[in-house]
Amino acid sequence: PMGSERMEMRKRQMSTASESPGAAQAQHSTGNRGSNACCFCWCCCCSCSCLTVRNQDEERARRTSHELQAEGIPNCEESPAPTLEEVNAWAQSFDKLMLTPAGRNAFREFLRTEFSEENMLFWMACEELKQESNKSVIEEKARLIYEDYISILSPKEVSLDSRVREVINRNMLEPSQHTFDDAQLQIYTLMHRDSYPRFMNSAIYKDLLRSLSEKSTEA
């Protein structure tokens, strides 16, 4: 009887030992699946880390857009509707486009589709600065322009080379109406060479030209 009990106990121990690795492996596998199921399962849960990062990025983009609107930036300048002659003139030169509020509005609408509206906003801010004569107002507006369009921390930073940035930094020691003249010229040239040709081939310009042409024909 004692021998039978020992043999029975040994069988149980061997059976337990053989089952343990499989059970441990199954438990380990289940644990891994549980931690990653959220990322690989098609029905992802809301707390998944990849979704959290993506949601944060989308929220940041929405917040930036909302902040730009909250700053009170007007969607367009006040101006009468452009005539067919004016719109045709825009195709003759970039200067003629930029001379009229209607031209700037149409071009700005196009820049918005290319996410480069800050170039026009910067140019307009510089034009506004040139109209000021009060020293304290000039200093305040120059500071705001720097923070909005020159600072590398700004989401509306315009693209300027290092030489122009050095000039601006020197000019900011004593701001004047012409603190950003070099930068304004560089952005004007950039819009002329880079964005203006695409604007002339854009649906925004062609649709406006077609609409005015049809009205002129009907009249």
Side-chain angles (χ1 to χ4, degrees), residues 2-194:
M2 292 294 293
S4 298
E5 288 178 4
R6 288 196 191 96
M7 289 184 65
E8 188 65 29
M9 188 177 296
R10 187 173 302 153
K11 285 180 182 179
R12 284 200 209 99
Q13 291 173 346
M14 291 177 64
S15 175
T16 302
S18 64
E19 290 175 359
S20 295
Q25 184 175 0
Q27 184 178 4
H28 180 68
S29 175
T30 303
N32 285 343
R33 186 167 62 252
S35 63
N36 293 329
C38 182
C39 291
F40 296 103
C41 173
W42 66 272
C43 52
C44 296
C45 69
C46 296
S47 60
C48 171
S49 60
C50 0
L51 282 183
T52 301
V53 171
R54 187 174 64 193
N55 290 339
Q56 288 174 345
D57 289 343
E58 291 175 354
E59 178 61 27
R60 189 178 299 114
R62 284 194 297 269
R63 191 185 310 122
T64 300
S65 175
H66 176 72
E67 286 171 354
L68 289 179
Q69 294 174 1
E71 287 174 2
I73 296 173
N75 288 327
C76 61
E77 297 178 72
E78 292 185 6
S79 70
T83 64
L84 179 60
E85 290 74 20
E86 285 178 326
V87 175
N88 278 321
W90 298 348
Q92 296 173 13
S93 73
F94 183 59
D95 291 341
K96 290 185 177 181
L97 169 71
M98 292 290 283
L99 277 174
T100 63
R104 292 193 294 271
N105 285 337
F107 187 51
R108 182 176 165 188
E109 182 182 351
F110 169 74
L111 292 178
R112 194 177 293 128
T113 66
E114 292 200 335
F115 305 100
S116 58
E117 185 184 11
E118 65 274 3
N119 289 331
M120 177 64 81
L121 294 175
F122 171 68
W123 185 87
M124 291 170 61
C126 292
E127 287 295 293
E128 185 179 327
L129 178 65
K130 290 177 182 178
Q131 307 305 315
E132 295 294 342
S133 57
N134 184 286
K135 189 174 186 297
S136 61
V137 174
I138 289 173
E139 290 177 351
E140 178 63 13
K141 287 193 173 184
R143 182 185 64 79
L144 291 174
I145 291 173
Y146 188 93
E147 291 178 356
D148 285 345
Y149 305 107
I150 310 301
S151 171
I152 60 174
L153 300 177
S154 173
K156 297 181 291 182
E157 178 195 6
V158 295
S159 179
L160 300 170
D161 61 36
S162 57
R163 180 194 65 81
V164 171
R165 286 185 174 276
E166 288 176 4
V167 171
I168 292 174
N169 289 334
R170 287 198 301 269
N171 290 344
M172 285 299 292
L173 296 175
E174 291 186 24
S176 72
Q177 300 100 318
H178 305 288
T179 292
F180 304 100
D181 281 4
D182 286 354
Q184 186 187 20
L185 177 59
Q186 190 169 94
I187 293 302
Y188 188 90
T189 303
L190 175 66
M191 291 191 292
H192 183 189
R193 294 178 179 174
D194 186 55

